[in-house]
Short mmCIF file of all heavy atoms in Angstrom, two decimals:
data_model
loop_
_atom_site.label_atom_id
_atom_site.label_comp_id
_atom_site.label_asym_id
_atom_site.label_seq_id
_atom_site.Cartn_x
_atom_site.Cartn_y
_atom_site.Cartn_z
N MET A 87 141.58 97.68 66.88
CA MET A 87 141.42 98.37 65.60
C MET A 87 142.45 97.86 64.59
O MET A 87 142.16 97.73 63.40
CB MET A 87 141.53 99.88 65.75
CG MET A 87 140.37 100.53 66.50
SD MET A 87 138.76 100.35 65.69
CE MET A 87 138.05 99.00 66.64
N ALA A 88 143.65 97.53 65.06
CA ALA A 88 144.70 97.05 64.16
C ALA A 88 144.44 95.63 63.67
O ALA A 88 144.72 95.30 62.51
CB ALA A 88 146.06 97.12 64.86
N THR A 89 143.88 94.79 64.54
CA THR A 89 143.70 93.37 64.18
C THR A 89 142.29 93.04 63.70
O THR A 89 142.08 92.00 63.08
CB THR A 89 144.00 92.47 65.39
OG1 THR A 89 143.06 92.75 66.44
CG2 THR A 89 145.43 92.67 65.89
N GLY A 90 141.33 93.89 64.02
CA GLY A 90 139.95 93.62 63.62
C GLY A 90 139.22 92.69 64.57
O GLY A 90 138.12 92.23 64.26
N HIS A 91 139.82 92.40 65.71
CA HIS A 91 139.14 91.56 66.71
C HIS A 91 139.66 91.88 68.10
O HIS A 91 140.70 92.48 68.28
CB HIS A 91 139.29 90.07 66.39
CG HIS A 91 140.70 89.57 66.44
ND1 HIS A 91 141.31 89.19 67.60
CD2 HIS A 91 141.62 89.41 65.46
CE1 HIS A 91 142.55 88.79 67.33
NE2 HIS A 91 142.76 88.93 66.05
N LEU A 92 138.88 91.45 69.09
CA LEU A 92 139.23 91.69 70.49
C LEU A 92 140.15 90.59 71.00
O LEU A 92 139.97 89.42 70.66
CB LEU A 92 137.97 91.71 71.36
CG LEU A 92 136.96 92.80 71.06
CD1 LEU A 92 135.69 92.55 71.87
CD2 LEU A 92 137.54 94.16 71.38
N ALA A 93 141.09 90.97 71.83
CA ALA A 93 141.95 89.97 72.47
C ALA A 93 141.23 89.31 73.64
O ALA A 93 141.57 88.20 74.03
CB ALA A 93 143.23 90.63 72.95
N SER A 94 140.20 89.99 74.16
CA SER A 94 139.47 89.43 75.30
C SER A 94 138.54 88.32 74.85
O SER A 94 138.32 88.10 73.67
CB SER A 94 138.67 90.53 76.01
OG SER A 94 137.65 90.99 75.15
N ASP A 95 137.93 87.67 75.81
CA ASP A 95 137.07 86.53 75.52
C ASP A 95 135.64 86.92 75.15
O ASP A 95 134.80 86.06 74.91
CB ASP A 95 137.06 85.58 76.71
CG ASP A 95 136.66 86.28 78.01
OD1 ASP A 95 136.16 87.42 77.95
OD2 ASP A 95 136.84 85.68 79.08
N GLY A 96 135.33 88.19 75.11
CA GLY A 96 134.00 88.63 74.72
C GLY A 96 132.96 88.60 75.83
O GLY A 96 131.81 88.95 75.62
N LYS A 97 133.37 88.18 77.01
CA LYS A 97 132.44 88.13 78.13
C LYS A 97 132.18 89.54 78.68
O LYS A 97 133.03 90.42 78.57
CB LYS A 97 133.00 87.26 79.26
CG LYS A 97 133.06 85.80 78.89
CD LYS A 97 133.56 84.98 80.06
CE LYS A 97 133.61 83.50 79.67
NZ LYS A 97 134.15 82.69 80.75
N PRO A 98 131.01 89.74 79.28
CA PRO A 98 130.74 91.05 79.89
C PRO A 98 131.77 91.37 80.97
O PRO A 98 132.24 90.47 81.68
CB PRO A 98 129.35 90.87 80.51
CG PRO A 98 128.75 89.72 79.80
CD PRO A 98 129.89 88.82 79.41
N ARG A 99 132.12 92.64 81.05
CA ARG A 99 133.09 93.10 82.04
C ARG A 99 132.45 94.12 82.95
O ARG A 99 131.77 95.03 82.49
CB ARG A 99 134.28 93.77 81.34
CG ARG A 99 134.98 92.90 80.35
CD ARG A 99 135.97 92.05 81.06
NE ARG A 99 136.71 91.27 80.08
CZ ARG A 99 137.15 90.06 80.30
NH1 ARG A 99 136.93 89.49 81.45
NH2 ARG A 99 137.81 89.40 79.38
N ARG A 100 132.68 94.00 84.23
CA ARG A 100 132.22 95.01 85.19
C ARG A 100 133.33 96.04 85.31
O ARG A 100 134.50 95.70 85.47
CB ARG A 100 131.92 94.37 86.53
CG ARG A 100 131.29 95.38 87.49
CD ARG A 100 130.93 94.75 88.80
NE ARG A 100 132.15 94.43 89.52
CZ ARG A 100 132.28 93.41 90.37
NH1 ARG A 100 131.27 92.61 90.61
NH2 ARG A 100 133.41 93.19 90.98
N THR A 101 132.95 97.29 85.19
CA THR A 101 133.93 98.37 85.27
C THR A 101 133.27 99.62 85.82
O THR A 101 132.07 99.63 86.06
CB THR A 101 134.57 98.64 83.88
OG1 THR A 101 135.69 99.52 84.04
CG2 THR A 101 133.56 99.20 82.89
N ARG A 102 134.07 100.62 86.00
CA ARG A 102 133.56 101.90 86.50
C ARG A 102 133.60 102.91 85.37
O ARG A 102 134.54 102.95 84.58
CB ARG A 102 134.41 102.38 87.65
CG ARG A 102 133.78 103.55 88.39
CD ARG A 102 134.58 103.93 89.58
NE ARG A 102 135.62 104.85 89.12
CZ ARG A 102 136.60 105.30 89.88
NH1 ARG A 102 136.73 104.89 91.11
NH2 ARG A 102 137.47 106.14 89.40
N GLY A 103 132.57 103.72 85.28
CA GLY A 103 132.52 104.79 84.30
C GLY A 103 132.42 106.14 84.99
O GLY A 103 132.11 106.23 86.18
N VAL A 104 132.69 107.17 84.22
CA VAL A 104 132.62 108.54 84.71
C VAL A 104 131.33 109.17 84.18
O VAL A 104 131.00 109.04 83.01
CB VAL A 104 133.83 109.36 84.22
CG1 VAL A 104 133.72 110.82 84.67
CG2 VAL A 104 135.13 108.75 84.72
N THR A 105 130.61 109.85 85.05
CA THR A 105 129.37 110.51 84.66
C THR A 105 129.63 111.97 84.30
O THR A 105 130.70 112.51 84.59
CB THR A 105 128.33 110.44 85.79
OG1 THR A 105 128.86 111.08 86.95
CG2 THR A 105 127.96 108.99 86.12
N ALA A 106 128.65 112.59 83.68
CA ALA A 106 128.79 113.98 83.23
C ALA A 106 129.12 114.94 84.37
O ALA A 106 129.83 115.92 84.17
CB ALA A 106 127.51 114.42 82.53
N ASP A 107 128.64 114.63 85.57
CA ASP A 107 128.92 115.51 86.71
C ASP A 107 130.20 115.14 87.45
O ASP A 107 130.47 115.65 88.54
CB ASP A 107 127.72 115.53 87.68
CG ASP A 107 127.46 114.19 88.34
OD1 ASP A 107 128.21 113.22 88.11
OD2 ASP A 107 126.46 114.10 89.08
N GLY A 108 131.00 114.23 86.86
CA GLY A 108 132.27 113.82 87.46
C GLY A 108 132.15 112.69 88.46
O GLY A 108 133.14 112.27 89.04
N GLY A 109 130.93 112.19 88.64
CA GLY A 109 130.71 111.07 89.56
C GLY A 109 131.12 109.75 88.92
O GLY A 109 131.73 109.71 87.85
N LYS A 110 130.77 108.68 89.59
CA LYS A 110 131.11 107.36 89.06
C LYS A 110 129.85 106.50 88.99
O LYS A 110 128.91 106.69 89.75
CB LYS A 110 132.19 106.68 89.88
CG LYS A 110 131.79 106.39 91.32
CD LYS A 110 132.95 105.79 92.09
CE LYS A 110 132.58 105.66 93.56
NZ LYS A 110 133.69 105.20 94.37
N VAL A 111 129.88 105.58 88.05
CA VAL A 111 128.81 104.60 87.91
C VAL A 111 129.47 103.26 87.59
O VAL A 111 130.43 103.20 86.82
CB VAL A 111 127.81 105.02 86.79
CG1 VAL A 111 128.47 105.14 85.42
CG2 VAL A 111 126.64 104.06 86.73
N TYR A 112 129.00 102.23 88.24
CA TYR A 112 129.50 100.89 87.94
C TYR A 112 128.60 100.28 86.88
O TYR A 112 127.38 100.31 87.00
CB TYR A 112 129.55 100.03 89.21
CG TYR A 112 130.65 100.47 90.13
CD1 TYR A 112 130.43 101.39 91.14
CD2 TYR A 112 131.95 99.99 89.94
CE1 TYR A 112 131.46 101.83 91.95
CE2 TYR A 112 132.98 100.42 90.76
CZ TYR A 112 132.73 101.34 91.77
OH TYR A 112 133.76 101.77 92.56
N VAL A 113 129.24 99.76 85.83
CA VAL A 113 128.51 99.21 84.70
C VAL A 113 129.06 97.85 84.32
O VAL A 113 130.22 97.53 84.60
CB VAL A 113 128.56 100.14 83.47
CG1 VAL A 113 127.81 101.43 83.72
CG2 VAL A 113 129.99 100.42 83.05
N THR A 114 128.21 97.07 83.69
CA THR A 114 128.64 95.84 83.03
C THR A 114 128.62 96.15 81.55
O THR A 114 127.61 96.63 81.02
CB THR A 114 127.68 94.68 83.36
OG1 THR A 114 127.67 94.49 84.78
CG2 THR A 114 128.12 93.39 82.68
N MET A 115 129.75 95.90 80.88
CA MET A 115 129.86 96.25 79.46
C MET A 115 130.30 95.06 78.63
O MET A 115 131.07 94.22 79.09
CB MET A 115 130.87 97.38 79.26
CG MET A 115 130.47 98.67 79.95
SD MET A 115 131.55 100.06 79.54
CE MET A 115 130.72 100.64 78.07
N THR A 116 129.78 95.02 77.43
CA THR A 116 130.29 94.10 76.42
C THR A 116 130.78 94.95 75.26
O THR A 116 130.30 96.07 75.04
CB THR A 116 129.22 93.11 75.93
OG1 THR A 116 128.10 93.84 75.42
CG2 THR A 116 128.76 92.18 77.04
N PHE A 117 131.74 94.42 74.54
CA PHE A 117 132.38 95.16 73.46
C PHE A 117 132.45 94.30 72.22
O PHE A 117 132.57 93.07 72.31
CB PHE A 117 133.82 95.54 73.85
CG PHE A 117 133.92 96.27 75.15
CD1 PHE A 117 134.15 95.60 76.34
CD2 PHE A 117 133.78 97.64 75.19
CE1 PHE A 117 134.24 96.26 77.54
CE2 PHE A 117 133.86 98.33 76.39
CZ PHE A 117 134.10 97.64 77.57
N ALA A 118 132.41 94.94 71.06
CA ALA A 118 132.61 94.24 69.79
C ALA A 118 133.28 95.20 68.82
O ALA A 118 133.02 96.40 68.83
CB ALA A 118 131.28 93.77 69.22
N VAL A 119 134.14 94.64 67.98
CA VAL A 119 134.73 95.40 66.88
C VAL A 119 133.74 95.35 65.73
O VAL A 119 133.13 94.32 65.47
CB VAL A 119 136.08 94.77 66.46
CG1 VAL A 119 136.63 95.46 65.22
CG2 VAL A 119 137.09 94.85 67.61
N ILE A 120 133.58 96.46 65.05
CA ILE A 120 132.74 96.52 63.86
C ILE A 120 133.68 96.46 62.66
O ILE A 120 134.56 97.31 62.52
CB ILE A 120 131.90 97.82 63.81
CG1 ILE A 120 131.04 97.95 65.06
CG2 ILE A 120 131.04 97.85 62.54
CD1 ILE A 120 130.42 99.33 65.22
N ASN A 121 133.51 95.44 61.84
CA ASN A 121 134.37 95.26 60.67
C ASN A 121 133.63 95.61 59.40
O ASN A 121 132.43 95.33 59.27
CB ASN A 121 134.87 93.82 60.59
CG ASN A 121 135.80 93.49 61.74
OD1 ASN A 121 136.77 94.19 61.96
ND2 ASN A 121 135.50 92.45 62.47
N GLY A 122 134.34 96.22 58.46
CA GLY A 122 133.78 96.53 57.15
C GLY A 122 133.77 95.30 56.27
O GLY A 122 134.19 94.20 56.67
N ALA A 123 133.30 95.45 55.04
CA ALA A 123 133.19 94.35 54.09
C ALA A 123 134.54 93.69 53.82
O ALA A 123 134.60 92.48 53.57
CB ALA A 123 132.57 94.84 52.78
N ASP A 124 135.62 94.46 53.93
CA ASP A 124 136.96 93.90 53.68
C ASP A 124 137.57 93.25 54.92
O ASP A 124 138.69 92.77 54.89
CB ASP A 124 137.88 94.97 53.13
CG ASP A 124 138.14 96.10 54.13
OD1 ASP A 124 137.55 96.10 55.24
OD2 ASP A 124 138.94 97.00 53.80
N GLY A 125 136.83 93.25 56.03
CA GLY A 125 137.31 92.63 57.26
C GLY A 125 138.09 93.56 58.17
O GLY A 125 138.42 93.21 59.29
N ALA A 126 138.41 94.76 57.69
CA ALA A 126 139.15 95.72 58.51
C ALA A 126 138.22 96.40 59.51
O ALA A 126 137.04 96.63 59.23
CB ALA A 126 139.80 96.78 57.61
N ALA A 127 138.75 96.72 60.66
CA ALA A 127 137.97 97.39 61.70
C ALA A 127 137.59 98.79 61.26
O ALA A 127 138.43 99.55 60.77
CB ALA A 127 138.77 97.45 63.00
N VAL A 128 136.31 99.11 61.41
CA VAL A 128 135.81 100.45 61.09
C VAL A 128 135.26 101.15 62.32
O VAL A 128 134.76 102.26 62.25
CB VAL A 128 134.74 100.41 59.96
CG1 VAL A 128 135.35 99.91 58.66
CG2 VAL A 128 133.55 99.57 60.37
N GLY A 129 135.34 100.49 63.46
CA GLY A 129 134.86 101.07 64.70
C GLY A 129 134.60 99.99 65.73
O GLY A 129 135.01 98.84 65.58
N ALA A 130 133.89 100.39 66.77
CA ALA A 130 133.58 99.46 67.86
C ALA A 130 132.25 99.86 68.48
O ALA A 130 131.82 101.01 68.37
CB ALA A 130 134.67 99.48 68.91
N VAL A 131 131.63 98.90 69.12
CA VAL A 131 130.39 99.16 69.84
C VAL A 131 130.55 98.63 71.27
O VAL A 131 131.13 97.57 71.49
CB VAL A 131 129.16 98.52 69.14
CG1 VAL A 131 129.31 97.01 69.02
CG2 VAL A 131 127.86 98.88 69.86
N ALA A 132 130.07 99.43 72.20
CA ALA A 132 130.02 99.01 73.60
C ALA A 132 128.56 99.03 74.03
O ALA A 132 127.82 99.96 73.70
CB ALA A 132 130.84 99.97 74.47
N VAL A 133 128.17 98.01 74.75
CA VAL A 133 126.81 97.92 75.29
C VAL A 133 126.94 97.89 76.81
O VAL A 133 127.68 97.06 77.36
CB VAL A 133 126.09 96.66 74.77
CG1 VAL A 133 124.69 96.56 75.37
CG2 VAL A 133 126.02 96.66 73.24
N ALA A 134 126.27 98.84 77.46
CA ALA A 134 126.46 99.01 78.91
C ALA A 134 125.13 98.99 79.65
O ALA A 134 124.12 99.47 79.14
CB ALA A 134 127.17 100.34 79.18
N ARG A 135 125.18 98.41 80.84
CA ARG A 135 124.03 98.50 81.75
C ARG A 135 124.57 98.69 83.15
O ARG A 135 125.69 98.26 83.47
CB ARG A 135 123.13 97.29 81.65
CG ARG A 135 123.67 96.01 82.22
CD ARG A 135 122.65 94.90 82.23
NE ARG A 135 121.87 94.88 81.00
CZ ARG A 135 121.06 93.91 80.63
NH1 ARG A 135 120.92 92.87 81.40
NH2 ARG A 135 120.38 93.97 79.51
N GLU A 136 123.79 99.35 83.96
CA GLU A 136 124.23 99.60 85.33
C GLU A 136 124.43 98.27 86.04
O GLU A 136 123.60 97.36 85.94
CB GLU A 136 123.22 100.46 86.07
CG GLU A 136 123.74 100.92 87.42
CD GLU A 136 122.88 102.02 88.04
OE1 GLU A 136 121.81 102.35 87.51
OE2 GLU A 136 123.32 102.54 89.07
N TYR A 137 125.54 98.17 86.76
CA TYR A 137 125.82 96.97 87.52
C TYR A 137 125.04 97.00 88.81
O TYR A 137 125.13 97.97 89.58
CB TYR A 137 127.32 96.85 87.83
CG TYR A 137 127.63 95.70 88.75
CD1 TYR A 137 127.59 94.39 88.28
CD2 TYR A 137 127.93 95.91 90.09
CE1 TYR A 137 127.87 93.33 89.12
CE2 TYR A 137 128.20 94.85 90.94
CZ TYR A 137 128.16 93.56 90.46
OH TYR A 137 128.42 92.50 91.29
#
Side-chain angles (χ1 to χ4, degrees):
M87 291 297 100
T89 63
H91 64 84
L92 297 172
S94 67
D95 55 13
K97 292 183 180 177
R99 302 276 184 214
R100 186 177 70 211
T101 190
R102 191 175 86 187
V104 177
T105 60
D107 65 3
K110 63 183 174 185
V111 60
Y112 288 92
V113 293
T114 300
M115 297 188 88
T116 57
F117 306 93
V119 174
I120 303 168
N121 293 306
D124 64 357
V128 296
V131 59
V133 179
R135 72 173 41 169
E136 189 168 7
Y137 173 74

